[in-house]
Amino acid sequence: MKDLTPKEIVSFLDKYIIGQEKAKKAVSIALRNRARRKKVSDDLKKEISPKNIIMIGNTGIGKTEIARRMADLSDAPFIKIEATKFTEIGYVGRDVESIVRDLLNVAISNEKKKMVEKVQRKMNELVEDKILNCLIPWKSNSSNNSKEDQERAKDFQKTIEKFRLKLKNGELEEKEIEIEIKKSPNNVFNKMMGFNNSQMDDMNGMLKNLFESFPKKKVNQKVKVKEARKLLREEVQENLINQDEIIAEAINKTENFGIVFLDEIDKIVSKNEYKGPEVSREGVQRDILPLVEGCSVNTRNGVIKTDHILFIAAGAFHTSSPSDIIPELQGRFPIRVELESLTQKDLESILTEPKSSLIKQYVALLETEGVTLSFTKSAIKEIAKITFEINNRNKNLGARRLATIMEKLLEDVLFEAPQVTAKITITDKYVREKLSDISVDEKLSKYIL
């Protein structure tokens, strides 16, 4: 975890998210407290629990983005999951413990990528050697180390270096060679049954572990060099990385730094607790409670303790309020932050200021076609104004509506590129012409999601 102060964390979030200072402050403190906890004594460390957060506000105002960026900043395992996944089929909803299993899978994937990066150079060298051995295999004519054999070895080494250079220059990519690879019966089983990793984890990995225990069969296969490189890289990678070390570090990261973003929590909350499907909603809250309180979850890679996983819940709470959550679960979310609705000025800033703003994205896309796209300040204000008006007239989708508005605005430009002129400037007049129908017609504007 990067050793950043809360102010530095907020400064980082400011690069991607406009406004919402209260929410940024809350998550920055939560992040910093995790770094602080690492430095206290072991006895006290066990007692310091994370301060879980509930974010309240309309869609499209930055709740998910704040959580996602803070996970990137802290290099922590992070998953976003909708609470409705556990209620859409009533009492038989998805097992809530799958949240922790999914989080561990993310951590394992992250640690594996880091380990692969460390051995990347060695891995490429070994793959290269294997391909060269297939291209020009070495065969000795005598059993002893004769002078003739030594001369042949020198000539062979020179040939190897010539082919190595060609290989590095990409001259042999289409050449066909025969390689020996291992085929795992587990991969065949997954494809045959159509299971993905998450579903296999939900079955506690029983079938997966069974098939992984089977020996891998070696087969000879003729492929082009470019395909051989991919197949051999996977095989070499297995030998270079320590899977047990990866899993141990992933478990540590999950237990101490994992972040779960539980979206749409308001969908499992209702004022009418004992009418129809509301009973199952409360049941889901009670199922989630042990995870947030702290419990042990069995996974196929070991037991995960959830005591120090940070939970961030979010919801609009249009028909309910956080106080309608069952008291036991409420108490586990001590920090509540109400996010502010986006103003017209906020929408203007969102279009231009973030590092990956929509306007920067479209400019970069059209640059690939040799088209220089630019927007006047008045055009940006007009886009924000129309978006703000549509949000007020219909369901407020916050900044999410900007994506549809921009796509509608630039539809013709994107369609005609690269045949259009090399320079295009979007003015406020052009914006009004293109968006006049949806800005004036209230019925039509409802279809602009």
Side-chain angles (χ1 to χ4, degrees), residues 158-255:
K158 289 178 182 178
T159 306
I160 282 283
E161 294 309 317
K162 287 179 182 178
F163 272 80
R164 191 185 300 277
L165 185 60
K166 288 184 177 183
L167 199 61
K168 289 182 183 296
N169 293 335
E171 298 175 27
L172 304 175
E173 294 298 288
E174 297 300 320
K175 189 171 180 63
E176 194 174 74
I177 58 174
E178 185 173 314
I179 61 172
E180 186 181 69
I181 58 172
K182 295 178 182 178
K183 281 202 171 180
S184 170
N186 176 58
N187 293 336
V188 176
F189 176 76
N190 280 354
K191 290 179 181 178
M192 179 178 67
M193 300 301 291
F195 288 138
N196 58 38
N197 287 336
S198 177
Q199 289 168 322
M200 293 299 287
D201 268 337
D202 285 345
M203 298 172 65
N204 293 323
M206 291 174 61
L207 294 174
K208 192 174 182 70
N209 288 337
L210 173 65
F211 275 79
E212 281 179 345
S213 65
F214 292 168
K216 294 180 180 180
K217 183 181 178 182
K218 289 186 176 182
V219 296
N220 290 329
Q221 188 174 339
K222 283 190 175 183
V223 292
K224 292 181 179 180
V225 168
K226 61 183 180 182
E227 295 297 327
R229 188 178 280 106
K230 295 177 184 176
L231 295 170
L232 292 171
R233 187 178 284 122
E234 293 177 8
E235 189 173 317
V236 169
Q237 180 180 296
E238 286 184 18
N239 298 327
L240 288 178
I241 62 177
N242 188 327
Q243 190 66 23
D244 292 336
E245 187 179 327
I246 288 173
I247 291 173
E249 184 60 24
I251 290 175
N252 174 55
K253 286 276 186 74
T254 300
E255 290 184 334

Side-chain angles (χ1 to χ4, degrees), residues 17 21 44 47-48 65 106 144 154 215 241 251 337-338:
I17 301 137
E21 301 305 323
L44 193 56
E47 304 300 324
I48 300 174
E65 190 67 9
V106 170
N144 59 351
K154 288 179 181 179
I241 62 177
I251 290 175
V337 181
E338 189 164 352

Side-chain angles (χ1 to χ4, degrees), residues 86-300:
F86 307 104
T87 56
E88 56 192 11
I89 48 177
Y91 297 100
V92 200
R94 192 181 177 202
D95 177 12
V96 294
E97 289 187 351
S98 64
I99 295 174
V100 179
R101 298 190 189 106
D102 289 345
L103 186 63
L104 178 59
N105 283 339
V106 170
I108 291 173
S109 178
N110 291 345
E111 292 306 311
K112 188 174 182 179
K113 286 178 184 176
K114 291 176 187 175
M115 187 75 74
V116 169
E117 286 175 5
K118 289 180 181 178
V119 299
Q120 188 75 42
R121 185 175 176 181
K122 180 67 176 175
M123 182 172 65
N124 290 338
E125 289 175 357
L126 291 174
V127 169
E128 198 174 79
D129 289 341
K130 284 178 176 286
I131 293 174
L132 288 170
N133 287 337
C134 294
L135 285 167
I136 39 174
W138 164 256
K139 290 183 180 179
S140 175
N141 290 331
S142 59
S143 58
N144 59 351
N145 193 18
S146 65
K147 186 176 181 180
E148 182 184 351
D149 233 15
Q150 291 176 9
E151 291 298 323
R152 288 185 65 252
K154 288 179 181 179
D155 292 339
F156 177 78
Q157 192 59 39
K158 289 178 182 178
T159 306
I160 282 283
E161 294 309 317
K162 287 179 182 178
F163 272 80
R164 191 185 300 277
L165 185 60
K166 288 184 177 183
L167 199 61
K168 289 182 183 296
N169 293 335
E171 298 175 27
L172 304 175
E173 294 298 288
E174 297 300 320
K175 189 171 180 63
E176 194 174 74
I177 58 174
E178 185 173 314
I179 61 172
E180 186 181 69
I181 58 172
K182 295 178 182 178
K183 281 202 171 180
S184 170
N186 176 58
N187 293 336
V188 176
F189 176 76
N190 280 354
K191 290 179 181 178
M192 179 178 67
M193 300 301 291
F195 288 138
N196 58 38
N197 287 336
S198 177
Q199 289 168 322
M200 293 299 287
D201 268 337
D202 285 345
M203 298 172 65
N204 293 323
M206 291 174 61
L207 294 174
K208 192 174 182 70
N209 288 337
L210 173 65
F211 275 79
E212 281 179 345
S213 65
F214 292 168
K216 294 180 180 180
K217 183 181 178 182
K218 289 186 176 182
V219 296
N220 290 329
Q221 188 174 339
K222 283 190 175 183
V223 292
K224 292 181 179 180
V225 168
K226 61 183 180 182
E227 295 297 327
R229 188 178 280 106
K230 295 177 184 176
L231 295 170
L232 292 171
R233 187 178 284 122
E234 293 177 8
E235 189 173 317
V236 169
Q237 180 180 296
E238 286 184 18
N239 298 327
L240 288 178
I241 62 177
N242 188 327
Q243 190 66 23
D244 292 336
E245 187 179 327
I246 288 173
I247 291 173
E249 184 60 24
I251 290 175
N252 174 55
K253 286 276 186 74
T254 300
E255 290 184 334
N256 292 294
F257 305 109
I259 300 173
V260 174
F261 183 74
L262 193 60
D263 203 6
E264 297 183 350
I265 194 172
D266 56 317
K267 301 296 191 300
I268 60 169
V269 177
S270 176
K271 292 182 179 180
N272 303 316
E273 294 182 3
Y274 302 104
K275 291 183 180 179
E278 277 71 24
V279 178
S280 68
R281 293 184 187 183
E282 182 178 325
V284 174
Q285 292 183 57
R286 295 197 178 279
D287 285 344
I288 292 174
L289 179 60
L291 295 185
V292 182
E293 280 185 326
C295 66
S296 296
V297 177
N298 289 315
T299 76
R300 66 187 183 88

Side-chain angles (χ1 to χ4, degrees), residues 310 343 354:
L310 177 64
T343 64

Side-chain angles (χ1 to χ4, degrees), residues 9-20:
I9 294 171
V10 170
S11 295
F12 172 83
L13 295 174
D14 284 341
K15 296 176 183 178
Y16 301 94
I17 301 137
I18 300 300
Q20 312 305 354

Side-chain angles (χ1 to χ4, degrees), residues 297-331:
V297 177
N298 289 315
T299 76
R300 66 187 183 88
N301 292 302
V303 177
I304 300 296
K305 294 182 179 180
T306 67
D307 303 65
H308 300 289
I309 293 176
L310 177 64
F311 287 85
I312 302 175
F317 290 98
H318 289 308
T319 59
S320 60
S321 72
S323 60
D324 294 317
I325 297 173
I326 60 172
E328 300 93 326
L329 191 57
Q330 277 188 60

